[in-house]
Amino acid sequence: RLRSSKGGTGDFSPAPGKENKQKMNNENFAGIMGTVKQAEVTNGVCGYDTENRYAVLRVCVPRKSSAEDTVIVAQRLEENKNMEETPLLDKDIMATGILQKAINAESGHTAVFILAEHVATVEFPEYQNGVKLTAEIVNNPEVRETPRGKHIADVMLKVENCIQGGNVHIPCIFWQENASEIAKYKRGTIVKITGRLQSREYVKKHYGDNNAESEEKRTTFEVSVEKVQVWWQPETVERN
């Protein structure tokens, strides 16, 4: 249910109590403050969990630079409940919840999104985008260099799938010193990270009959890591 708040400097830290009783390797928190650019009620999120209805918002969150990120916020709707979509367009909101990953079985597309526990409109926003995860590394990190000479490492972190059970892997990107640091560790290591949920567009090439080539513009979502701390390391893990 959407609520209204006059304050625009909401504290994105998890409230004390139940969350603090959880094991640290289950920490999963995301919070944003931004402007709604698209709002709809759909069966599922990006083609995932289509048996349930969701209010799905695409929220624009400016970065400190001139760029901006589009963040998907989804809130599961109770049966016989609805949401007024149009009044939310171009409204500023604050949303908090956990990171999840949608996987469309038909198209193969994936999307990292915020499964919201709280969504409220705000009158005086201060745009924010924050993620906190304590989770297990599922791949052996490797540093690579971008065409602009930046060092990066792509890492998947395992979090609980709160929609259908099991686990999902959240893509995270580490930059420069953080990339060099994370590359020292192996899969199975538990790390505590803070960062932001970012979006970027890329072009996917397809090759059909007679080598006919077509292009498809896609959007990928990942956590850009700002701080990392090693929480626990396995004694022996092979880097295969």
Side-chain angles (χ1 to χ4, degrees):
R1 184 176 60 184
L2 289 175
R3 285 179 278 185
S4 178
S5 172
K6 292 185 178 180
T9 58
D11 182 3
F12 284 167
S13 299
K18 182 176 69 174
E19 292 86 349
N20 292 336
K21 296 179 182 178
Q22 296 177 345
K23 294 181 179 179
M24 284 304 298
N25 63 346
N26 289 332
E27 182 181 18
N28 182 345
F29 177 81
I32 64 161
M33 195 175 293
T35 306
V36 176
K37 293 301 181 183
Q38 182 179 331
E40 59 183 348
V41 173
T42 64
N43 291 328
V45 183
C46 302
Y48 179 67
D49 191 32
T50 55
E51 295 180 358
N52 292 294
R53 295 169 64 249
Y54 289 83
V56 180
L57 312 176
R58 290 183 180 265
V59 184
C60 175
V61 185
R63 300 182 189 177
K64 292 181 180 179
S65 64
S66 58
E68 59 186 26
D69 292 303
T70 298
V71 176
I72 298 174
V73 175
Q75 192 168 40
R76 191 167 172 176
L77 296 176
E78 298 177 6
E79 190 173 355
N80 299 323
K81 296 291 184 180
N82 212 326
M83 178 195 78
E84 294 185 12
E85 303 162 7
T86 304
L88 286 178
L89 291 177
D90 297 320
K91 296 289 187 181
D92 295 313
I93 67 163
M94 179 177 71
T96 59
I98 61 175
L99 283 191
Q100 292 288 273
K101 186 176 182 179
I103 305 171
N104 189 314
E106 293 185 2
S107 67
H109 293 183
T110 63
V112 178
F113 65 97
I114 297 176
L115 181 60
E117 298 176 357
H118 172 80
V119 178
T121 57
V122 292
E123 294 184 13
F124 307 105
E126 289 190 5
Y127 298 116
Q128 301 180 49
N129 182 347
V131 171
K132 294 181 179 180
L133 295 176
T134 303
E136 180 183 335
I137 298 174
V138 297
N139 64 306
N140 288 321
E142 301 287 348
V143 177
R144 58 187 175 87
E145 188 172 324
T146 70
R148 295 185 177 182
K150 300 286 188 181
H151 292 159
I152 63 173
D154 298 305
V155 176
M156 290 287 189
L157 295 183
K158 180 169 66 177
V159 302
E160 181 183 359
N161 184 336
C162 295
I163 295 177
Q164 294 189 343
N167 300 294
V168 291
H169 298 164
I170 303 296
C172 302
I173 186 166
F174 292 70
W175 296 88
Q176 299 292 76
E177 293 84 359
N178 283 337
S180 299
E181 180 66 21
I182 201 66
K184 299 176 183 177
Y185 302 99
K186 307 170 183 178
R187 69 176 185 270
T189 301
I190 295 175
V191 293
K192 182 182 180 72
I193 64 122
T194 59
R196 61 179 173 81
L197 182 56
Q198 71 175 20
S199 62
R200 57 184 175 87
E201 292 185 344
Y202 69 99
V203 174
K204 174 75 173 180
K205 292 187 177 182
H206 301 279
Y207 296 93
D209 297 336
N210 301 319
N211 292 323
E213 181 180 318
S214 61
E215 295 184 346
E216 177 188 5
K217 182 179 288 187
R218 292 187 178 183
T219 302
T220 187
F221 303 88
E222 61 203 357
V223 176
S224 180
V225 176
E226 298 170 357
K227 295 181 181 178
V228 58
Q229 176 186 358
V230 174
W231 197 254
W232 179 84
Q233 297 182 65
E235 293 185 4
T236 56
V237 176
E238 305 225 349
R239 289 180 66 97
N240 294 330

